[in-house]
Amino acid sequence: MDSQNYAKAIEVLNKMAYHYYVLDSPIASDAEYDALYHKLKAYEEANPDSILPSSPTQRVGDVPLSEFSKNAHIKRMWSLDDVFDEGELEEWLTRIYKTHPRASFTCSPKFDGASLNLLYEGGLLRSATTRGNGIEGELVTQNARTIFSIPLQIPYDKRIEIRGEVLIAKDDFSSLNAQRLADNLPLFANPRNAAAGSLRQLDSKITAKRPLRFMPWGVGAMETQIESFYEILRSLESFGFAPMPFLAHCRDKGEILHAYRTLLDARESYPLMLDGMVVMIDEIPIQEQLGWTIKSPRFACAYKFPAVEKTSIIKNIVFQVGRTGVITPVAELEPVEIDGAMITRASLHNFSEIAKKDIRLGDKVVIIRSGDVIPKIISSIHALRDDSQIRIQTPTLCPECAQELLVEEILIKCQNLSCPARVKESLVHFASKKALNIDGLGEKIVYELFDRGLVRGILDLYRLKEEDLLGLEGWKQKRAQNLINSIKNTYGIELWRLINAFGIEHIGEGASKKLATNFGIRVFSVSEEEILNIDGFGEEMARSLCEFNHANRELISTMLEILQPKVQQREVALDSVFAGKSVVITGTLSAPREHFVEILEGLGARVGSSVSGKTDFLLCGENAGSKLTKAQNLGVRILSEEDLQSYLKA
């Protein structure tokens, strides 16, 4: 390799890294990257005086520091004033419109991580400094160099401060904590703490091992003629930074609220932790006219999301037996409000995790609610302990049937198929809204019928008589007749509901619908191979269904005879351009995703969840992210909603 090829190799390797780490759409295999990297490294070892600062070898961690030095920001990193509801947003906008009635706004996600200020001079990364007190922070340049989504060189020769957030994705956070559990290390409380702790490692080799990413959200010192903050943020993408998701230019309150609701709807599914939305006046001259208060800019605010993380105290521990026999420890808590809901119970996952996290009865704990019916306890606050906390003992006998429990590596299970808890939970699921939807047969009624010996299994529901119910306390003729009618209303129900109602492990609502559509009644006799041919079905799902069918032939046969379920075969347009084609959907469309899935499957398409070389079409809405970029790189045909409508009219 000569000097010319050396420079070219740096360019190619940096492009490969950008597509892999920033766009999540690799353009080369790991082997190809490694082969070129080792050639480049060999050249640098032979020519140490010729190493360019943009070389990927300069990302490798340096010798550990004894401490971080302080470094001043050229322009102060301000904190933002918070608004928490539409009324407070209205008040903030009124103050803006009083002097600048034609102001427009840039709305962008407020990421929940560790803020970082990058200084580039002559196109090269010169320093990376944490927010600190806003005036100066800690110099963490060595650590920042290990983050592949931070370019070492940008196509901008003037001095510029680029501000952003260092983050850890939710899935990466889970993997990181799982590894720390395995290594008997303390767990991070949340992705934000994990990102901040990783960024502030004195040994940058440790930072290099953490799955950190950088998402830009603004600039500090900068020489530019651009007068739109929106355009400035858009320009950062051309510098090699990650594209800003959900970025919106809004003209009024209505558009701001639409951008906020879009972001709030995506909060749970988006891979990075979001804290709210930043609302900033777009016009730079107006920003400068409004200026700052002592602690924050007058031209921006943070429209915060409702809180989802709180603390409470564990008052009691109960052991729940699920319909598959798995014992789940659940904490009864001092009531605490999270995201508008009063929380009194939270999952403790499993006993292995309780032991490794050292969670005890009486602990003050951190609770996170991410759309789960029962929120989860993610850590306890050990520093607040006194002598009253009690260790949680792992049960050896089932709390319901007193039979000896099967203790596996992580899970503890009751193997007794006649265990009252297993039967009752199966019946609750069978009658639930997404299963047979038997109105009036909720958990409390199921438990009452079971405890009085009227129902011991699914088939007993169809043997119930009005006089059986009238013998129960508080039951009148109308109530009894309504329940009997609700049970009778399940006759002729859709097949997918029956499949889902059986509570087959790994087979949920979506899988039940696909199975019913693909196989009809034959679903209860198909082979594993046939199931695996359905997009999205893996070996565990196939094996679970086949095992259930084999073990419950008599029950299945009787239920089919009683219910005579309907098989809704979707009419497929075999002459459609989408027939037999793979389609992926991304972005925000005018209707829920399910609406378009139904249309496309009716046209004979297979709707998948991820873009690959086998994808034929990408149906793309607003705020499309990495799937769009990957599809463009792979040459996948991109369709707008209008394009789809034109096909439907053809």
Side-chain angles (χ1 to χ4, degrees):
M1 179 181 288
D2 56 23
S3 59
Q4 187 173 353
N5 288 332
Y6 169 65
K8 180 64 176 176
I10 290 176
E11 180 183 344
V12 171
L13 286 169
N14 286 337
K15 184 177 181 180
M16 289 177 178
Y18 176 74
H19 279 265
Y20 185 90
Y21 290 102
V22 178
L23 300 182
D24 195 27
S25 58
I27 58 174
S29 67
D30 291 348
E32 289 173 314
Y33 181 94
D34 291 341
L36 185 56
Y37 182 91
H38 288 300
K39 287 181 182 178
L40 178 138
K41 191 174 181 182
Y43 175 86
E44 290 181 343
E45 288 172 352
N47 302 274
D49 297 332
S50 302
I51 298 175
L52 296 177
S54 59
S55 170
T57 62
Q58 301 309 292
R59 293 191 182 278
V60 178
D62 210 333
V63 294
L65 300 172
S66 57
E67 62 179 359
F68 291 116
S69 58
K70 297 293 184 180
N71 191 46
H73 307 301
I74 299 172
K75 288 189 71 173
R76 181 170 175 174
M77 294 184 74
W78 298 87
S79 298
L80 297 178
D81 285 335
D82 295 331
V83 300
F84 293 94
D85 54 43
E86 190 174 331
E88 292 184 6
L89 175 67
E90 177 69 45
E91 292 176 9
W92 183 81
L93 289 171
T94 299
R95 292 196 296 271
I96 300 297
Y97 285 138
K98 191 175 293 185
T99 54
H100 297 88
R102 296 186 178 180
S104 63
F105 305 87
T106 296
C107 294
S108 59
K110 186 175 186 300
F111 297 103
D112 196 12
S115 295
L116 188 66
N117 187 32
L118 306 174
L119 174 63
Y120 289 85
E121 290 178 326
L124 298 176
L125 177 63
R126 297 300 185 187
S127 66
T129 310
T130 62
R131 178 192 291 275
N133 61 9
I135 298 171
E136 67 174 11
E138 293 178 318
L139 197 62
V140 292
T141 312
Q142 282 187 191
N143 292 345
R145 286 180 174 275
T146 69
I147 303 173
F148 278 86
S149 48
I150 294 179
L152 300 179
Q153 186 172 16
I154 62 174
Y156 186 88
D157 292 335
K158 300 174 183 178
R159 186 177 67 173
I160 182 174
E161 288 178 304
I162 296 176
R163 275 105 188 241
E165 212 78 358
V166 174
L167 305 156
I168 288 182
K170 297 172 186 174
D171 287 347
D172 289 335
F173 170 73
S174 298
S175 299
L176 179 60
N177 258 357
Q179 184 58 53
R180 292 177 72 82
L181 269 174
D183 295 339
N184 289 315
L185 295 172
L187 299 184
F188 291 114
N190 51 51
R192 178 186 63 252
N193 287 3
S198 300
L199 185 62
R200 296 187 66 259
Q201 291 290 327
L202 291 171
D203 186 351
S204 56
K205 289 185 174 65
I206 297 176
T207 305
K209 295 177 181 178
R210 302 278 171 81
L212 299 177
R213 59 181 75 189
F214 180 83
M215 187 66 73
W217 46 251
V219 295
M222 180 183 185
E223 298 177 42
T224 180
Q225 300 300 313
I226 302 175
E227 294 189 348
S228 165
F229 184 68
Y230 177 87
E231 293 302 326
I232 289 174
L233 287 184
R234 279 291 183 219
S235 69
L236 297 182
E237 184 177 344
S238 67
F239 290 178
F241 289 96
M244 171 71 79
F246 306 105
L247 186 65
H249 183 245
C250 301
R251 293 167 293 183
D252 54 32
K253 176 187 171 184
E255 292 186 356
I256 292 172
L257 290 175
H258 176 74
Y260 177 80
R261 288 165 187 150
T262 299
L263 196 58
L264 186 58
D265 288 343
R267 179 187 192 182
E268 298 301 335
S269 59
Y270 193 66
L272 302 174
M273 292 288 286
L274 301 175
D275 192 31
M277 185 177 77
V278 176
V279 184
M280 184 172 295
I281 290 180
D282 184 60
E283 295 82 7
I284 303 298
I286 297 179
Q287 290 186 13
E288 293 172 349
Q289 289 171 31
L290 287 173
W292 296 260
T293 65
I294 294 175
K295 69 181 185 70
S296 60
R298 294 189 177 92
F299 51 83
C301 68
Y303 192 175
K304 299 297 287 290
F305 287 154
V308 294
E309 185 178 298
K310 293 284 184 72
T311 60
S312 184
I313 294 175
I314 299 178
K315 306 297 290 183
N316 190 27
I317 302 294
V318 295
F319 302 124
Q320 286 189 340
V321 185
R323 65 177 187 270
T324 61
V326 173
I327 310 292
T328 302
V330 176
E332 295 183 343
L333 307 165
E334 284 190 351
V336 59
E337 185 180 339
I338 302 180
D339 200 8
M342 190 59 66
I343 305 303
T344 58
R345 291 155 67 88
S347 171
L348 285 165
H349 308 291
N350 57 60
F351 297 96
S352 175
E353 194 165 339
I354 289 173
K356 289 184 178 180
K357 288 182 178 179
D358 190 20
I359 295 174
R360 303 182 187 182
L361 183 63
D363 265 344
K364 189 162 191 176
V365 291
V366 179
I367 309 157
I368 189 166
R369 185 170 188 250
S370 303
D372 299 294
V373 177
I374 300 180
K376 299 174 183 177
I377 291 174
I378 58 174
S379 65
S380 63
I381 306 174
H382 295 177
L384 298 181
R385 279 182 179 162
D386 50 30
D387 294 330
S388 64
Q389 285 72 31
I390 302 171
R391 291 186 183 276
I392 299 170
Q393 299 297 319
T394 302
T396 57
L397 300 178
C398 175
E400 289 288 335
C401 67
Q403 295 293 310
E404 189 172 348
L405 296 171
L406 172 67
V407 180
E408 298 180 333
E409 186 175 349
I410 295 177
L411 300 180
I412 297 176
K413 299 177 71 174
C414 174
Q415 296 290 85
N416 179 13
L417 294 175
S418 300
C419 174
R422 293 190 65 173
V423 176
K424 286 190 283 191
E425 291 303 319
S426 295
L427 286 167
V428 170
H429 174 76
F430 186 84
S432 64
K433 191 171 184 179
K434 293 296 179 69
L436 260 63
N437 193 22
I438 303 177
D439 190 33
L441 191 60
E443 180 181 89
K444 185 177 179 181
I445 304 304
V446 167
Y447 281 28
E448 183 180 10
L449 295 176
F450 186 91
D451 293 341
R452 293 295 297 269
L454 294 175
V455 173
R456 290 295 178 186
I458 291 170
L459 294 176
D460 291 335
L461 290 174
Y462 294 90
R463 300 183 182 118
L464 277 176
K465 297 181 178 62
E466 188 177 322
E467 52 267 30
D468 296 330
L469 300 173
L470 291 175
L472 302 175
E473 185 179 350
W475 282 76
K476 304 293 185 182
Q477 186 173 9
K478 185 175 181 180
R479 184 184 183 189
Q481 189 59 56
N482 285 343
L483 179 55
I484 297 298
N485 289 339
S486 292
I487 294 171
K488 287 180 178 178
N489 287 339
T490 62
Y491 298 159
I493 204 154
E494 298 99 322
L495 176 63
W496 73 263
R497 286 187 172 276
L498 177 59
I499 300 170
N500 193 34
F502 279 138
I504 307 165
E505 200 162 3
H506 305 304
I507 305 296
E509 178 188 353
S512 297
K513 289 179 177 178
K514 281 191 173 183
L515 288 166
T517 301
N518 279 273
F519 300 119
I521 295 294
R522 202 170 64 83
V523 66
F524 297 113
S525 59
V526 291
S527 66
E528 286 190 29
E529 186 177 358
E530 289 177 285
I531 300 167
L532 289 171
N533 285 330
I534 304 177
D535 184 43
F537 278 68
E539 291 183 1
E540 276 192 342
M541 298 172 74
R543 190 181 307 115
S544 178
L545 176 59
C546 289
E547 287 176 355
F548 178 87
N549 291 343
H550 178 73
N552 297 277
R553 287 179 182 174
E554 191 173 328
L555 172 64
I556 292 169
S557 176
T558 305
M559 288 306 302
L560 289 175
E561 187 177 339
I562 292 172
L563 296 182
Q564 297 291 309
K566 291 184 297 187
V567 180
Q568 294 182 324
Q569 295 286 358
R570 184 181 286 112
E571 291 185 8
V572 175
L574 297 177
D575 58 345
S576 162
V577 69
F578 297 104
K581 301 296 183 182
S582 173
V583 184
V584 173
I585 301 173
T586 189
T588 304
L589 297 163
S590 63
R593 184 179 186 277
E594 291 75 15
H595 170 75
F596 294 96
V597 170
E598 186 173 353
I599 290 174
L600 288 164
E601 289 184 344
L603 294 170
R606 302 187 309 275
V607 180
S609 58
S610 59
V611 176
S612 71
K614 295 181 180 179
T615 304
D616 298 295
F617 296 95
L618 179 74
L619 176 59
C620 192
E622 295 179 3
N623 301 316
S626 59
K627 288 181 183 177
L628 174 58
T629 305
K630 188 171 184 178
Q632 290 169 333
N633 291 333
L634 292 171
V636 173
R637 187 167 180 180
I638 312 297
L639 299 178
S640 66
E641 194 171 332
E642 291 74 20
D643 294 331
L644 178 61
Q645 291 299 328
S646 66
Y647 278 117
L648 295 177
K649 294 174 183 177

